[in-house]
Amino acid sequence: MSLKLDNINSLCLLRLSAIGDVCHAVAMVQAIQRQYPKLKITWIIGKVEYQLLKHLHGVEFVIFDKSLGWRSYFKLRRDLAGQKFDVLLHMQVALRATIASLAISAQVRIGFDRARAKEGQWLVTNQSVEPLATPHVLEGFMGFAKAIGVTDLTPNWEIPVPLADSEFAQKMIPDGDKTLVICAAASKAERNWLPERYAAVAEHAISQGFRVILCGGPARLEVELAEAIEQACSQTLENQVGKTSLTQLLAVLKQASIVLAPDTGPAHMAVTQGTPVIGLYAHSNPGRTGPYTSLGNVVSVYDDVIKEQREGGVSWGTRAKGKEIMNLINIDSVVSKFDMLSQGLTD
């Protein structure tokens, strides 16, 4: 199915979360804008995610604040009152998003194909994207652009950052400084690597003439992990965890030489800035959720773990389980990726 937008004026995009996913969605939105520069685009987005993308050109945002509970749906309905869209791109498979979509008036409602349209999404859409057997999340999103007639699906990102935030980052990491930024924390503790192993990689980077900066959000999990890495490290690290806004962090990731992270939002933020990422994967399939432009830099034990946990065929999005499986990632494998990337900086 491909819908031509030559005579269509308005499009609504429903993608509430998370940081990594909205980074993928930006590439899709900007692919649409390249082909249809006059199209009015409204994006229903989560409160936190909005803080990263609020300066995006040519997009009107409507914030869905899930912290309001059931009242968030009534607020969304009020915010959209009187608006009718030609097309809805329903890009989130979650019951919360399915319910939220009922507040959106649109003639054409495009969702995922039947195999991926879970949590009742298929009940609130009337068209679907093409099925894909083994897509990366970004490629799955690009299916929505293709469905509305976009032909250039090459991912590119232009996420504006306020000048003050760029200056903040350039002061922290002047141009030319060799810097490893470690964004150590994922949303769940079991998806984090061991602090002493992060520390070992940091020590190696410092021995190679790199600065090492710890970055991340203000959540207790992130703060405590950063402190544990500092305590395990024989060298002094620069700890910026909880000290940057999302747009400041985006600017810092742009200035970085290399980023080291598990399956977490800042890894995908770094991709949008063209910075190479060493991704650490055990629970999720990096072919599906890895840093898109750095898939060759991923250190993954996912394939081995999932073979032990599941017999026979395994669906593409299956997650591996276990609180200790990130421990299977060894230091030497990560250092090897770091050395490969750092050598490339001097070639």
Side-chain angles (χ1 to χ4, degrees), residues 26-44:
V26 167
M28 186 222 65
V29 167
Q30 294 182 332
I32 293 172
Q33 289 177 318
R34 288 195 299 271
Q35 184 149 339
Y36 305 110
K38 296 182 179 180
L39 182 65
K40 178 184 177 183
I41 298 176
T42 300
W43 187 337
I44 315 299

Side-chain angles (χ1 to χ4, degrees), residues 176-198:
D177 269 20
K178 294 195 300 182
T179 306
L180 170 66
V181 169
I182 300 178
C183 297
S187 58
K188 295 182 179 179
E190 67 179 19
R191 299 177 192 171
N192 294 336
W193 206 31
L194 296 172
E196 57 267 28
R197 297 188 187 179
Y198 277 121

Side-chain angles (χ1 to χ4, degrees), residues 5 23 26 29 43-44 49 64 70 73 81 143 156 167 195 206 213 219 236 244 247 259 299 311 315 339:
L5 289 190
C23 286
V26 167
V29 167
W43 187 337
I44 315 299
E49 293 75 12
F64 181 89
W70 59 268
Y73 301 103
N156 290 289
E167 291 175 342
I206 291 170
I213 301 177
T236 300
T244 58
T247 48
V259 172
V299 179
E311 293 183 0
S315 64
D339 287 344

